[in-house]
Amino acid sequence: MVYIGSGHPTREEQDPMKITPSKIILSKVDADRIFSLTRSDWESYAEGLVYPEGWKVRLDPSDNGSGVIGHHPTAGIELTIRPYYDNSIDPPEVLFIVSRYPLGKAPKFTAELKNDLEYEAKRNLGPEYSVSVSYTKSPPFEEIELMIKRASH
């Protein structure tokens, strides 16, 4: 589970085996903030992202916007938040939130799960954002990715 901002997870939410992409917390306020940041503003903001206790957190630098990767060493789960910037002055084009699981540990990715994740994210973010969810199996890992964009006006 990824917390953006200054929230603190409960004990139940800290259990890495109970983490699913649907429990990723990204509020509309958080999305609005991230989609208003330039690349350099994001780099500063990224240093303050909060993960549950027990997770190891690191920045993964990139010319298109650093990712913040949280890794739970016991469960082997990784959660990444990475905006994609075309340049240094405009806000990001897209925000990726990726849950990476050891092979066989991810929730079964069905059409129902995909629809539920997209529905929940759209409900949280509102009509100003579009959300798509995808699944990738690349042994020894499985990934469930949320791709968030500002909706066209």
Side-chain angles (χ1 to χ4, degrees):
M1 171 147 29
V2 176
Y3 283 81
I4 298 177
S6 60
H8 296 282
T10 65
R11 280 203 185 277
E12 182 177 302
E13 292 169 334
Q14 289 180 7
D15 182 346
M17 298 318 290
K18 293 184 179 180
I19 292 173
T20 64
S22 63
K23 291 187 179 180
I24 294 170
I25 296 174
L26 179 66
S27 71
K28 183 177 181 326
V29 170
D30 294 326
D32 289 346
R33 173 151 175 108
I34 292 169
F35 277 94
S36 73
L37 298 173
T38 64
R39 192 168 62 218
S40 64
D41 291 338
W42 162 254
E43 300 299 329
S44 297
Y45 182 72
E47 293 176 8
L49 292 180
V50 179
Y51 279 72
E53 186 178 324
W55 290 70
K56 306 233 183 273
V57 180
R58 68 180 172 87
L59 290 178
D60 182 27
S62 167
D63 291 341
N64 299 103
S66 293
V68 180
I69 301 172
H71 175 78
H72 193 280
T74 305
I77 297 170
E78 281 188 0
L79 296 166
T80 302
I81 299 173
R82 181 183 304 275
Y84 177 83
Y85 289 87
D86 275 340
N87 58 56
S88 62
I89 46 178
D90 292 321
E93 293 293 314
V94 65
L95 176 63
F96 297 98
I97 300 178
V98 180
S99 301
R100 189 174 190 202
Y101 301 86
L103 199 58
K105 299 292 185 184
K108 185 169 174 65
F109 194 79
T110 62
E112 182 180 2
L113 177 62
K114 179 183 187 320
N115 291 337
D116 288 350
L117 294 174
E118 289 176 349
Y119 172 80
E120 187 66 25
K122 288 174 185 176
R123 187 177 66 80
N124 287 340
L125 298 174
E128 295 87 7
Y129 295 95
S130 65
V131 179
S132 63
V133 176
S134 63
Y135 170 84
T136 305
K137 185 175 184 178
S138 179
F141 297 103
E142 298 174 84
E143 294 181 352
I144 297 176
E145 176 184 271
L146 280 75
M147 183 174 68
I148 302 167
K149 294 182 178 182
R150 279 208 184 266
S152 300
H153 296 287

